[in-house]
Amino acid sequence: KQEVTQIPAALSVPEGENLVLNCSFTDSAIYNLQWFRQDPGKGLTSLLLIQSSQREQTSGRLNASLDKSSGRSTLYIAASQPGDSATYLCAGGAVLGGRTNAGKSTFGDGTTLTVKP
Amino acid sequence: GAVVSQHPSRVICKSGTSVKIECRSLDFQATTMFWYRQFPKQSLMLMATSNEGSKATYEQGVEKDKFLINHASLTLSTLTVTSAHPEDSSFYICSAAAGGRADTQYFGPGTRLTVL
């Protein structure tokens, strides 16, 4: 059974700082790894998706890496801004057999980021 | 592309009533849809996997008679919370994936259910 862990649970940084959020997973047979952002009381916003054959993805100030062998993914946020304050969730996607290859995702508990002006 | 909608976004109901939540894939056909639940300050937990035209597969501990899932078409899945109680108050999120190829799940915006 896949288990996903995110460390730290909470992080507070001053504006402008670069930071790294960590995600570890126990089953390396993931199909993909997604990073999401969730604002309080809101739904999920997909940030980056890394397929199992990839090692990293970049979007603007965000860079996500995936190392299946070590069971780790990181989300790097450059030049953090107060608007980046949110909870960041990672999710490992599994492969289901049978009718479809689309598999369910296992989520970590998230890292709540606060960027202070 | 790959947009998933949910309706309603918020619902408040009285204890004992049933509530239906819709999940639609707007621009693609979703062979598989997933329903997740998120309690306050907790992460998302998978409730069930729904394949079009067949019965949903529920995760351990999820009551299938309480959380009725119907996936009648390739673009629509519904979750009905029957005889809702205050402990069912939660954030319900669906996701949809296109079948036939190993694919990404596209998540809906979620529905916040409050049972009084």
Side-chain angles (χ1 to χ4, degrees):
Chain A
K1 180 182 176 183
Q2 178 72 274
E3 293 183 4
V4 178
T5 304
Q6 291 186 247
I7 296 173
L11 180 64
S12 180
V13 301
E15 182 177 3
E17 190 164 299
N18 302 326
L19 59 101
V20 175
L21 306 181
N22 297 293
C23 172
S24 62
F25 45 93
T26 56
D27 186 352
S28 63
I30 59 170
Y31 188 74
N32 55 44
L33 193 293
Q34 287 196 70
W35 282 92
F36 297 88
R37 169 185 174 140
Q38 186 174 33
D39 292 288
K42 305 294 184 182
L44 299 179
T45 300
S46 179
L47 298 174
L48 289 166
L49 163 71
I50 311 175
Q51 300 290 359
S52 62
S53 58
Q54 300 172 325
R55 292 192 63 84
E56 67 176 339
Q57 285 287 324
T58 298
S59 175
R61 294 183 292 109
L62 305 180
N63 176 276
S65 68
L66 174 63
D67 184 343
K68 287 181 60 179
S69 62
S70 65
R72 294 180 181 178
S73 177
T74 61
L75 178 66
Y76 175 82
I77 302 177
S80 59
Q81 303 170 356
D84 294 332
S85 298
T87 296
Y88 291 81
L89 296 163
C90 70
V95 176
L96 280 177
R99 186 174 174 181
T100 174
N101 285 330
K104 58 187 179 183
S105 290
T106 301
F107 283 81
D109 289 336
T111 295
T112 299
L113 172 65
T114 302
V115 181
K116 299 179 180 179
Chain B
V3 177
V4 176
S5 70
Q6 280 186 241
H7 177 79
S9 58
R10 288 179 177 270
V11 57
I12 300 174
C13 69
K14 294 182 179 180
S15 184
T17 60
S18 294
V19 175
K20 180 184 286 187
I21 303 169
E22 292 185 350
C23 176
R24 293 182 183 272
S25 56
L26 299 185
D27 50 4
F28 67 101
Q29 294 186 327
T31 306
T32 306
M33 288 186 171
F34 303 87
W35 287 95
Y36 295 82
R37 179 170 53 186
Q38 185 182 38
F39 291 110
K41 299 188 184 300
Q42 295 185 27
S43 191
L44 282 76
M45 297 298 294
L46 180 68
M47 297 175 66
T49 302
S50 164
N51 288 307
E52 182 266 336
S54 62
K55 292 183 179 180
T57 301
Y58 291 81
E59 295 298 301
Q60 191 173 10
V62 179
E63 300 174 59
K64 63 180 181 180
D65 294 330
K66 181 169 185 61
F67 299 99
L68 302 179
I69 293 174
N70 182 281
H71 192 162
S73 78
L74 287 171
T75 59
L76 173 65
S77 176
T78 60
L79 168 67
T80 301
V81 183
T82 62
S83 186
H85 292 284
E87 56 265 31
D88 298 324
S89 298
S90 186
F91 196 48
Y92 293 88
I93 299 178
C94 73
S95 69
R101 56 188 176 102
D103 208 347
T104 306
Q105 292 182 47
Y106 299 97
F107 284 81
T111 297
R112 184 163 301 283
L113 170 63
T114 302
V115 185
L116 302 177

